[in-house]
């Protein structure tokens, strides 16, 4: 039986998997990730790269060959399969991921391509609702009003769910608003907070620790982004389009 | 039926957790020490997944309002039963005991953040939400009204089998020593640590900071209590940007993150489903329960491990629990 490292090399060479890498996260998870330097990740192609991952996730959910898969979690240009190592054949899983990625890549994009439903989110920007708005403006050496205008002007898409129940990672942040995470994460960020981290933006469904730059808050009368007793529990889902609307407190 | 008299600190209803929902952003939750929790259930003739009460720090006190069959497992704990008639008796961890209406039970873990489990025969009766009775404290749902227990809360157990009540022998589960080492598989970003930081990871005596909770174990290096004196772990030149902005990726309980300030965080059962900090290690599944027993007074080391050893350790653990279940079933 080959070691996983040897097998991984074998897959990469025989399938000519050049754009992505496969690697383990402990003994219960395997990650497939599009290499950062690949042109697919330039702004124009980021959505296509993500739609490949979304398509791969759909494929894995419906396949029945690999047993013992517990969960399949999307990230940005990556996907993690969590499995029971006492049941799953990890080498067969790696093969399945590599082949699945290549076939998903060659198919035309389906989700994450602008065909999802439009969701409008009312946001109160700045002041006590957006404690990092001034810092973000200073980082970009522009006015606070410009930051708000740029954020509201964006056409966003939900690339994947994560971080908290109801949290959708949004693609489409204007490059002029890209801001690094806070050096020291807060131990508490208020529910409904609208934030920026790197080239991503999103809304915190409930309070939590976090390192995002907080620029505003979802209007208080808006339905909860996550309700475990509602069907569907999540207000936002992978593939939805999102627009922010500035409102008064 | 029980009434909470003193809620202790962070007592919550937990079963083995909700699995299979991370793709929707829903955390696993569940008992941090699933091993002790499972033993408690087997002692009472419950299935492994019956909901229990997890206690992080005491004193936790309840008053029985009906007949109760129960046990406490986990961290070294002082357990005292005060009868209706004023009699006081001491109970051992892992001992099955009975409460009559009016009896009080006080549970005091010896160290803060050393978790213990109060299990009831039949399991704690709270609604199933997304397939589990665990409390998701951060998201505020599941378990007992989506929150930690408070004074005057009434806990109900599901109907127990009266036949097993009378035939219940005194049973005793010897607490397994959590030891002082946690096995870790180097993470995807481990190669980007400087050599001296890699050495520091394996050679340091680590402690759990008092800021730790069910989402994560913040590590501090002994003997430095003052976090300003901690020697932070560093990434090699050319990779330092990773500490601020990596594309978001999945994280799981046991993932060891390195935030920019340089002191590692080991994610636990209530952790978020995605993260953006370097993943420098992954605690093996078989050792996750040990983290729940690393109280604020425990010193421990991280030990490098490979996947084959990790899988064997998990298999051994499952078999040990299975044998324990069989032993408990013998009349």
């Amino acid at each position: 039986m080959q070691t996983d490292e040897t097998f991984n090399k074998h897959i990469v060479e025989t399938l000519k998997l050049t754009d992505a890498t496969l690697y383990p996260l402990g003994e219960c998870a395997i990650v497939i990730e599009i290499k950062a330097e690949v042109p697919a990740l330039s702004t124009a192609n980021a959505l296509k790269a993500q739609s490949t991952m979304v398509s791969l996730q759909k494929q894995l959910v419906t396949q029945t060959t690999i047993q013992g898969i517990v969960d399949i979690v999307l990230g940005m240009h990556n996907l993690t399969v969590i499995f029971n190592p006492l049941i799953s054949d990890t080498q067969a899983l790696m093969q399945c991921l590599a082949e699945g990625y290549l076939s998903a890549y060659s198919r035309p994009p389906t989700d994450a391509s602008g065909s999802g439903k439009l969701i409008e989110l009312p946001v109160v920007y700045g002041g006590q609702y957006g404690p990092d708005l001034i810092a973000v403006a200073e980082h970009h050496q522009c006015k606070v009003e410009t930051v708000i205008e740029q954020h509201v002007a964006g056409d966003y898409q939900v690339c994947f769910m994560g971080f908290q129940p109801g949290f959708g990672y949004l693609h489409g942040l204007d490059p002029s608003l890209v801001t690094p995470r806070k050096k020291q994460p807060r131990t508490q960020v208020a529910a409904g907070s609208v934030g920026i981290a790197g080239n991503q933006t999103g809304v915190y469904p409930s309070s939590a620790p976090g390192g995002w730059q907080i620029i505003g808050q979802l209007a208080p009368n808006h339905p909860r982004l996550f309700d475990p007793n509602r069907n569907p529990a999540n207000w936002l889902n992978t593939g939805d389009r999102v627009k922010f609307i500035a409102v008064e407190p | 039926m029980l009434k909470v008299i003193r809620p202790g600190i962070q007592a919550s209803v937990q079963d083995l957790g909700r699995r299979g929902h991370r793709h929707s952003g829903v955390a696993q939750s569940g008992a941090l020490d699933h091993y002790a929790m499972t033993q408690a259930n087997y002692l009472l003739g419950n299935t492994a997944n019956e909901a229990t009460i997890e206690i992080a720090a005491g004193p936790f006190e309840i008053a029985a309002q009906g007949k109760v069959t129960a046990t406490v497992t986990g961290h070294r704990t002082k357990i005292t039963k005060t009868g209706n008639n004023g009699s006081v008796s001491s109970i051992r961890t892992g001992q099955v005991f009975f409460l009559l209406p009016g009896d009080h039970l006080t549970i005091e873990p010896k160290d803060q953040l050393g978790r213990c489990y109060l299990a009831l025969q039949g399991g704690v009766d709270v609604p199933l939400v997304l397939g589990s009775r665990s409390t998701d404290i951060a998201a505020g749902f599941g378990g007992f009204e989506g929150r930690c227990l408070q004074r005057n809360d009434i806990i109900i157990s599901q109907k127990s089998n009266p036949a097993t009540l009378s035939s219940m022998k005194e049973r005793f589960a010897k607490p397994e020593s959590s030891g002082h080492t946690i096995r870790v598989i180097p993470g995807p970003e481990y190669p980007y640590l400087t050599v001296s930081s890699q050495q520091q990871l394996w050679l340091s005596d680590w402690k759990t900071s008092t800021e730790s909770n069910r989402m994560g174990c913040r590590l501090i290096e002994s003997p430095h209590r003052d976090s300003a004196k901690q020697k932070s772990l560093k990434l090699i030149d050319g990779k330092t940007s990773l500490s601020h902005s990596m594309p978001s990726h999945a994280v799981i309980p046991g993932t060891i993150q390195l935030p920019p300030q340089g002191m590692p965080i080991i994610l636990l059962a209530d952790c978020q489903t995605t993260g953006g900090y370097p993943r420098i290690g992954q605690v093996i599944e078989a050792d996750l329960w040990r983290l729940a027993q690393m109280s604020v007074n425990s010193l421990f080391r991280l030990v490098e491990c490979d996947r084959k050893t990790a899988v064997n350790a998990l298999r051994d653990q499952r078999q040990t629990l299975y044998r324990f279940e069989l032993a408990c079933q013998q009349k």
Side-chain angles (χ1 to χ4, degrees), chain A residues 4 23 26-27 70-72 75-76 78 80 82 86 162-165 169 181 183-185 200 206 226 228 234, chain B residues 20-25 129 138 141 185 188 244 248-250 252 260-261 272-274 277 279 282 285 307 318:
Chain A
D4 285 338
Y23 55 83
E27 79 282 19
V70 172
D71 217 335
I72 303 162
M76 197 62 186
N78 58 65
T80 303
I82 301 166
L86 300 180
F163 171 57
Q164 279 184 350
Y169 279 81
R181 283 180 176 81
K183 277 192 162 52
Q184 179 78 297
Q200 295 165 7
S206 58
F226 173 76
N234 285 334
Chain B
H21 295 279
R22 297 186 87 78
H23 63 274
S24 301
V129 181
F141 72 91
I185 295 172
H244 303 295
S248 294
H249 46 247
I252 54 179
Q261 93 274 29
Q272 66 270 30
T273 58
T274 55
Y277 295 135
R279 300 153 294 183
Q282 179 66 39
E285 179 85 13
R307 285 162 63 204
R318 295 274 161 88

Side-chain angles (χ1 to χ4, degrees), chain A residues 169-193:
Chain A
Y169 279 81
L170 303 180
H171 172 270
L173 186 69
D174 195 292
S176 67
L177 289 182
V178 171
T179 318
R181 283 180 176 81
K182 293 174 75 69
K183 277 192 162 52
Q184 179 78 297
R186 286 193 173 87
T187 49
Q188 195 80 285
V189 171
S193 291

Side-chain angles (χ1 to χ4, degrees), chain A residues 1-17:
Chain A
M1 179 78 119
Q2 295 168 337
T3 63
D4 285 338
E5 286 69 30
T6 318
F7 191 74
N8 197 6
K9 260 186 152 172
H10 161 77
I11 291 176
V12 166
E13 279 156 18
T14 52
L15 295 179
K16 303 205 189 325
L17 185 73

Side-chain angles (χ1 to χ4, degrees), chain B residues 149-190:
Chain B
L149 296 180
Q150 292 167 5
R151 186 177 154 75
N152 293 329
D153 284 343
I154 304 286
I155 310 288
I156 307 168
S157 55
Q158 303 193 67
K159 273 211 160 56
S160 55
N161 182 351
T164 43
L165 256 178
S166 58
S167 68
M168 191 71 67
K169 298 190 297 204
E170 186 190 295
R171 295 206 188 103
F172 176 59
K174 182 165 183 275
E176 178 166 328
S177 166
S178 54
H180 300 286
T181 57
I182 306 279
R183 287 167 292 186
V184 172
I185 295 172
E189 281 77 53
Y190 173 84

Side-chain angles (χ1 to χ4, degrees), chain B residues 221-269:
Chain B
E221 225 183 325
S222 173
H224 305 296
R225 284 183 196 285
D226 179 0
S227 55
K229 289 203 173 70
Q230 301 283 322
K231 186 155 160 265
S232 58
L233 296 175
K234 292 183 171 29
L235 299 173
I236 54 180
D237 288 341
K239 294 292 179 188
T240 49
S241 62
L242 290 183
S243 65
H244 303 295
S245 51
M246 282 184 70
S248 294
H249 46 247
V251 290
I252 54 179
T255 300
I256 306 180
Q257 291 184 309
L258 185 70
Q261 93 274 29
M263 295 314 290
I265 300 176
I266 307 182
L267 298 179
L268 299 178

Side-chain angles (χ1 to χ4, degrees), chain B residues 112-150:
Chain B
Q112 194 187 1
L113 295 185
R115 272 78 176 195
C116 65
Y117 296 84
L118 169 63
L120 310 178
Q121 195 185 40
V124 172
D125 188 2
V126 290
L128 278 170
V129 181
L130 292 173
S132 166
R133 294 191 167 86
S134 292
T135 314
D136 187 326
I137 298 167
F141 72 91
F144 190 92
E145 299 178 6
R147 58 168 175 77
C148 293
L149 296 180
Q150 292 167 5

